[in-house]
Amino acid sequence: MFSMTLVWFVNVGLLINQPLLATFSFPVGPMLWIAALIAYGVVTLKGRVLPRYVGWTLILLEPVSLLCGLALSTVAPLADRGAYSAGVEKGLALLLIAWGVRSLPRRIN
């Protein structure tokens, strides 16, 4: 949650043109976000509540997103702060996570 909060503040800093917050935009923010997702994926794997592919999807979410953005950069050029082309990969990854969550038994209270 800390890394996501930092990313949020950095984005606000970029929008309101605050140089101090903007310094965290790259590479510090994304590196913290990647580390947090990897840790969350490892804990998901160890918890064994969700299918294993959910943990692996969390671990690989950002690295594969970066690779997808680079692979598609010839048709969707990279901007200073990244590209929207990685949205294709993130949509598929979130679909996998949703399928994993949906596989949980439904409890009626």
Side-chain angles (χ1 to χ4, degrees):
M1 295 311 299
F2 171 75
S3 66
M4 186 45 134
T5 304
L6 177 65
V7 169
W8 183 82
F9 276 115
V10 167
N11 285 334
V12 169
L14 290 171
L15 289 173
I16 61 174
N17 207 14
Q18 289 293 320
L20 179 63
L21 289 175
T23 58
F24 290 103
S25 66
F26 191 81
V28 176
M31 292 303 167
L32 282 174
W33 179 241
I34 289 171
L37 277 175
I38 289 172
Y40 195 56
V42 168
V43 170
T44 301
L45 284 171
K46 288 185 177 187
R48 297 183 185 189
V49 175
L50 294 169
R52 293 183 60 78
Y53 64 83
V54 173
W56 284 109
T57 302
L58 288 168
I59 290 169
L60 296 173
L61 181 68
E62 283 303 317
V64 174
S65 175
L66 291 171
L67 292 174
C68 186
L70 287 174
L72 295 175
S73 65
T74 58
V75 292
L78 296 173
D80 291 342
R81 297 182 190 111
Y84 291 103
S85 56
V88 173
E89 179 273 336
K90 287 191 179 188
L92 293 173
L94 292 176
L95 179 65
L96 282 174
I97 293 170
W99 271 339
V101 171
R102 190 163 186 226
S103 72
L104 292 173
R106 297 178 192 241
R107 297 183 184 158
I108 299 174
N109 292 332

